Amino acid sequence: MRFEVWAPQADRVALHREGATSALERDPERAGWWTGDAEARDGTRYGFAVDDGPVLPDPRSRRQPDGPDGLSAVVVQERYDWHAEWAGRPLPGAVLYELHVGTYTPGGTLDSAAERLGHLAELGVTHVELMPLCPFPGRHGWGYEGVSPWAVHEPYGGPEALKRFVDRAHELGLGVVLDVVHNHLGPSGNHLPAFGPYFTDTHQTPWGSAVNLDAPGSDEVRAYLVGSALAWLRDYRLDGLRLDAVHALRDTRALHFLEELSTAVDTLADDLGRPLFLIAESDLNDPRLISSREEGGLGLHAQWNDDFHHALHATLTGEAQGYYADFADAPFPALAKTLTSGFFHDGTYSSFRGRRHGRPLDRTRVPAHRLLGYSQTHDQIGNRAQGDRLSASLSPGLLACAAALTLTGPFTPMLFMGEEWAAGTPWQFFTDHTDPGLADAVRRGRRREFAAHGWAEEDVPDPQDPATRERSCLDWSEPQEALHARVLTWYRDLIALRRSHPDLADPDLAAVRIAHDEGARWLALRRGDVRVAVNLGKEAAGIPLGLSRARVLAAWEPVRTPDADGLLSVPGESCVVLTQA
């Protein structure tokens, strides 16, 4: 078996494997690379020593059986016998479901999560979006402080378990998307600097030195990240990747890393003969991110749309702290703007940032499915002091309204696990750092952050307490309870409507029409022949739809069809979906 590693500044590199040591040779055709052949099989433990230093895991390790600091293990990808025939599932028309493996079930493994995939197939979603799976210290965590970006966290089951999960998902008709983190690696277990210039002080990020995308040595670093992305899509038959916080990818080169990545993914899709896509998390509100490369864009296929979330959240809850301040002054117009223009901040002043932000989206050119819309995500729940979901503070009727706007709106909808039955469990920030100093720093930092917003220390959960993770696990007995079952049925009905009514999948953002009344707290959405009316007020509201002959497709509370003048009476904290009769 051929072993190789990039270590451009090394004078010597040695391969250590199961008690044997052998020197690697410089590759005469690739500067900075060291190679050598040695006997190995699936599962063989190995590592590299640079200039007689400690034995470290392979930067391209496919498996870390003993965690980020242990030896790597050989993975023979061809050993797995795939069962599902899979032609792929594209992003247009999709409904995504964000899932954290460690809390989706109490078991917290890929295999236990796979046992619950039937629930998602029955719900009607099309893709499961897995939060990061790369190895991180300890057993439990969100996954955003991972290392070894080619490997699967061993406590989740390792690489074979991911293949079993994807295989089962595909058997049920579900695509699988993986959240990957290219903008930083975790502070613990990150051994890349010992091998080469994977990071640079040229730029700084919230996590320290930036990943080296444009300084000397960056050609190989970019190839390392692109190779990792392609390996997930090829070796594990994933359907797409979600790219974490791409605004933190500091790159001044003429060919931006994201354009290079999107080109490589599109080429792989052509080679494999199935659709693949990239979804960015971005704070930039820059349409170039999701514009085609032919039009001068970076060629990503979609991005999360936090503006829609913030406008919807402010409208539902009245919260005005932090970034919600930009949306809270006039939440209904803010929500209407995002539903018709994509971005709220499109060159407008952002009080949270203290400057103007974003640029307009060309609604005639950019299809609406390139923006993901959601009422809840891991970030927006877990980064609250107590990890409280909307279900902790809103009535079932308002939750139904949030679902209606998300699932019948113009964007590609995404749900966060448990949302579909108004889960009563929180989703809190939890860690399992094995370094006591780091664990204490995270604990103190979390409490200090929320103390600035008036929270008492004892009210902020300890991330290191195992009970914090345990509280965050979904309770699978809830969907059988009356209220939760009613919400679950509502979500299923809305997803089914989206699938059966082409108007609800129309990507033309310019065709969306909105009417609203801030004082009466109602909003009406028109998408072709379909009308969606939501009443967020406590009292019944008369909503003029201009539609005298209509058929009710779904209603949270019973309603009559509009009267002769097209006026629809909607009960308080309720919503209805209609179509022209």
Side-chain angles (χ1 to χ4, degrees):
M1 183 171 290
R2 172 62 52 91
F3 290 85
E4 58 182 21
V5 66
W6 181 62
Q9 296 156 349
D11 293 322
R12 295 174 302 284
V13 178
L15 167 68
H16 293 252
R17 56 177 179 86
E18 299 187 346
T21 302
S22 57
L24 298 184
E25 302 293 332
R26 294 182 188 273
D27 189 323
E29 298 181 358
R30 294 184 298 165
W33 280 87
W34 299 76
T35 65
D37 294 332
E39 291 293 327
R41 63 189 182 283
D42 188 80
T44 295
R45 306 291 181 90
Y46 72 99
F48 299 113
V50 177
D51 292 335
D52 303 321
V55 180
L56 299 175
D58 183 355
R60 285 171 168 75
S61 171
R62 300 303 185 91
R63 186 180 174 204
Q64 289 297 117
D66 303 309
D69 294 313
L71 290 177
S72 301
V74 171
V75 174
V76 179
Q77 301 289 359
E78 295 76 18
R79 285 184 70 247
Y80 184 80
D81 182 19
W82 292 92
H83 298 94
E85 294 291 334
W86 185 245
R89 196 155 192 177
L91 183 64
V95 178
L96 277 70
Y97 185 96
E98 190 185 21
L99 184 158
H100 177 261
V101 168
T103 51
Y104 186 59
T105 65
T109 66
L110 283 155
D111 285 332
S112 62
E115 293 174 1
R116 293 286 185 179
L117 286 175
H119 164 79
L120 301 184
E122 292 174 5
L123 178 62
V125 301
T126 63
H127 293 77
V128 183
E129 182 178 301
L130 297 173
M131 288 175 61
L133 298 180
C134 293
F136 54 85
R139 177 175 180 82
H140 297 298
W142 281 18
Y144 292 94
E145 294 183 340
V147 296
S148 299
W150 297 56
V152 180
H153 191 50
E154 197 71 15
Y156 287 166
E160 289 283 300
L162 176 57
K163 291 177 181 177
R164 291 192 294 270
F165 180 95
V166 174
D167 215 2
R168 179 57 180 152
H170 287 171
E171 286 178 335
L172 293 169
L174 298 167
V176 183
V177 180
L178 177 63
D179 193 338
V180 296
V181 184
H182 290 158
N183 53 64
H184 74 290
L185 278 80
S188 180
N190 177 15
H191 301 290
L192 291 182
F195 289 92
Y198 282 89
F199 300 89
T200 175
D201 291 330
T202 304
H203 310 291
Q204 291 294 311
T205 75
W207 307 281
S209 297
V211 173
N212 179 15
L213 299 177
D214 57 5
S218 59
D219 285 354
E220 288 291 353
V221 178
R222 292 161 75 108
Y224 173 78
L225 295 175
V226 170
S228 167
L230 298 183
W232 291 116
L233 297 167
R234 180 187 60 245
D235 299 338
Y236 295 93
R237 299 193 177 184
L238 297 177
D239 299 277
L241 301 174
R242 184 259 192 188
L243 310 177
D244 181 65
V246 299
H247 48 270
L249 295 170
R250 311 298 189 194
D251 184 7
T252 60
R253 289 168 63 160
L255 176 63
H256 194 280
F257 167 73
L258 291 175
E259 183 179 352
E260 184 176 344
L261 177 61
S262 72
T263 301
V265 168
D266 287 347
T267 299
L268 179 62
D270 289 340
D271 292 344
L272 296 177
R274 60 183 174 88
L276 302 172
F277 53 83
L278 297 171
I279 302 171
E281 179 198 21
S282 174
D283 185 43
L284 301 177
N285 282 21
D286 185 351
R288 289 174 293 191
L289 194 71
I290 53 175
S291 297
S292 70
R293 294 185 297 274
E294 292 76 16
E295 295 172 313
L298 299 183
L300 301 186
H301 306 90
Q303 73 158 82
W304 282 25
N305 186 5
D306 274 352
D307 278 12
F308 170 73
H309 169 273
H310 298 346
L312 179 58
H313 188 93
T315 305
L316 290 166
T317 67
E319 291 184 10
Q321 74 275 15
Y323 43 65
Y324 294 129
D326 288 350
F327 304 83
D329 283 345
F332 278 80
L335 182 56
K337 181 178 180 181
T338 63
L339 285 166
T340 55
S341 301
F343 297 144
F344 174 74
H345 283 306
D346 53 7
T348 56
Y349 182 79
S350 168
S351 61
F352 174 71
R353 298 174 177 87
R355 58 171 175 80
R356 299 176 74 86
H357 185 68
R359 65 185 300 167
L361 188 78
D362 185 346
R363 300 185 302 164
T364 65
R365 186 175 53 83
V366 179
H369 73 256
R370 292 188 181 273
L371 298 176
L372 267 62
Y374 36 84
S375 65
Q376 301 180 75
T377 71
H378 78 272
D379 267 332
Q380 305 304 338
I381 299 171
N383 284 326
R384 297 172 69 84
Q386 295 188 322
D388 50 310
R389 299 169 178 264
L390 286 178
S391 55
S393 57
L394 298 185
S395 70
L398 290 179
L399 296 176
C401 291
L405 290 171
T406 301
L407 289 167
T408 66
F411 311 127
T412 296
M414 185 181 74
L415 313 178
F416 180 68
M417 62 177 197
E419 169 192 338
E420 71 275 18
W421 73 70
T425 50
W427 202 76
Q428 299 176 334
F429 179 71
F430 52 89
T431 57
D432 189 22
H433 290 300
T434 53
D435 178 343
L438 180 58
D440 188 56
V442 170
R443 180 186 297 113
R444 288 185 288 106
R446 187 79 175 172
R447 288 173 172 167
R448 185 169 55 248
E449 174 187 356
F450 287 104
H453 296 283
W455 289 86
E457 276 195 16
E458 60 270 19
D459 292 332
V460 180
D462 179 359
Q464 285 285 120
D465 185 347
T468 304
R469 177 260 169 184
E470 291 165 7
R471 281 191 299 271
S472 301
C473 291
L474 290 178
D475 178 356
W476 283 91
S477 69
E478 286 185 339
Q480 284 72 52
E481 299 172 6
L483 175 60
H484 297 293
R486 183 185 178 195
V487 174
L488 179 56
T489 298
W490 179 245
Y491 270 80
R492 285 175 177 162
D493 289 348
L494 290 174
I495 293 173
L497 284 178
R498 188 176 187 90
R499 185 169 57 247
S500 62
H501 284 72
D503 284 339
L504 295 180
D506 184 358
D508 185 0
L509 196 58
V512 178
R513 296 291 182 267
I514 299 285
H516 60 84
D517 186 321
E518 184 101 51
R521 291 187 57 75
W522 62 259
L523 181 144
L525 172 72
R526 177 177 179 179
R527 305 200 61 205
D529 288 337
V530 177
R531 309 287 199 280
V532 183
V534 298
N535 177 12
L536 306 184
K538 293 186 177 297
E539 304 299 326
I543 302 178
L545 292 184
L547 191 67
S548 58
R549 300 181 60 188
R551 176 167 56 93
V552 174
L553 299 174
W556 179 250
E557 297 289 356
V559 297
R560 295 180 180 274
T561 55
D563 64 19
D565 295 324
L567 191 68
L568 175 71
S569 179
V570 180
E573 298 187 349
S574 186
C575 48
V576 59
V577 183
L578 312 94
T579 188
Q580 187 167 332

